Amino acid sequence: MESSAHQFSGNVRRQLNNEPLQQALTRIPLKFVTKRSLAVNAVGNFAELREAGAAIRQQTLDDLAHWLCQFETAAQARGVFVHWAEDAAQVQQIVRDIALSNGVQKVVKSKSMVSEECDLNTALEAAGITVVETDLGEYVLQLAKEPPSHIIAPIVHKHKEEVATLFEQHHPREREPGWADDIAGLCREAREVLRPHFLSADMGISGGNFLVAETGSVALVTNEGNGRFCTTLPRIHVAITGIEKVVPTLEDLSTLLRLLPRSATGQGISNYVSVLTGPKDAGASDGPEQMHVVLLDNGRSQLHSSTLAPILRCIRCGACMNHCPVYQAVGGHAYGWVYPGPMGSVWTPSLIGLEHSLDLPHASTGCNQCSVACPVKIPLPDLMRELRTRQVEQQLRPWREQLAYRLWGWLALHPRSYALTTRIASRVLRWLGGRQGQIRRLPLGQGWTQGRTFPAGQGRTFRELYRARQQGQSS
């Protein structure tokens, strides 16, 4: 997926003026935030669960190489082919080679953000292989030729009317009056179109929510049956996931499964939880003849040894973006790459380079809702501040901003000049506020007043007010 993260400010302006998107985004608090709150409150020990989940993820990361090797050994013992990919290009090559060497003509895919990260569909289609997204949201986006805007609900930005228009364009059939308003009917239509693809596909591709080192299993959590169709019907199953997804034991997996669905969709448990352990045995009625697991690095090892390592605890629940006022205002496409919201503001600069996503660490109000909602206690605001510090240290900020900070630093070291400058500035701001005391256009800070008025001060600095109070008390 080509990144436009470097155009975040322009993306934001377009999304704020996108009226259908703004209407769609109003569903997020009701659909995700409220449901999560109800699900969390129904668990009496959710705080303890968060502590346990964070500890499992951190302890695994502290000895990541050991658990990955144990996973590889256990998976290979069960007949799984384990592949290691340094970057997205290697993932493309590995999966393409598996497909071509096995005469694969059609691939069905379950939702996988790592495959989006690797732009896998483009590589397979270039090799002459038909790729069909089978998650309902991802299927709609494939028809629309759009990337997902949310890691859990990829078409949260769309209305049913848009989906109906796409189906009418791509599914030629007779239509009855009112069909476009029948959401259940639209879902049924998608099932009817996708079912033959499941039966005729040679390969299924999925992600992996977790890897279990103890058993060599891939755990897959979905709310649609397409995940099981993709992993059991085709003769080849390829699971692609990041190296950070490993957990030690099935017991650890059970703890994290109590956190993930409640944080993601407000469910006690997802509709489908699959623990996939090797290809089918001889004589079994279902399951793949071959199972492959591709473990992707793509910058994760470097991230693991940095101060940003806590982001690797992420279990991709989406709670941070659901609770983020910035995401709720601009949606996922504004972030410009695979991972949106607060987690994306850390992941994207870490994986594609800070210089290519300068504005993302600043896409935060600092309210800390993302960290409070995170089921594995990732300190997301702290990590974003770390990235801002790196920007300053590497002199990546715009020259005007750097000049302003240097000027501020000089004034802070010269109290008399600082006092004079602030005294002049406070009176200018008072004058700009006029009779109403509201500044509608702030010089050198237009961003503050583009969507709101800026209250003017009284025309005196804190030092002047403090001195006046002290004099009044002494008299």
Side-chain angles (χ1 to χ4, degrees), residues 201-258:
D202 309 292
M203 176 189 286
I205 295 177
S206 74
N209 293 93
F210 300 102
L211 305 170
V212 184
E214 176 183 39
T215 59
S217 306
V218 177
L220 198 62
V221 180
T222 67
N223 273 318
E224 300 176 25
N226 70 303
R228 287 190 176 171
F229 279 139
C230 288
T231 59
T232 58
L233 286 179
R235 55 191 172 90
I236 303 169
H237 171 217
V238 180
I240 310 168
T241 190
I243 58 174
E244 78 281 5
K245 292 296 190 68
V246 67
V247 298
T249 67
L250 287 170
E251 185 175 355
D252 295 327
L253 172 65
S254 69
T255 298
L256 292 167
L257 289 181
R258 297 185 70 190

Side-chain angles (χ1 to χ4, degrees), residues 57-65 243-244 297 299-312 350:
R57 296 297 293 127
Q58 189 57 50
Q59 290 167 9
T60 307
L61 292 172
D62 289 342
D63 202 3
L64 183 59
I243 58 174
E244 78 281 5
D297 189 324
R300 288 163 172 81
S301 293
Q302 185 175 0
L303 188 58
H304 181 262
S305 60
S306 76
T307 53
L308 298 173
I311 191 61
L312 293 171
S350 301

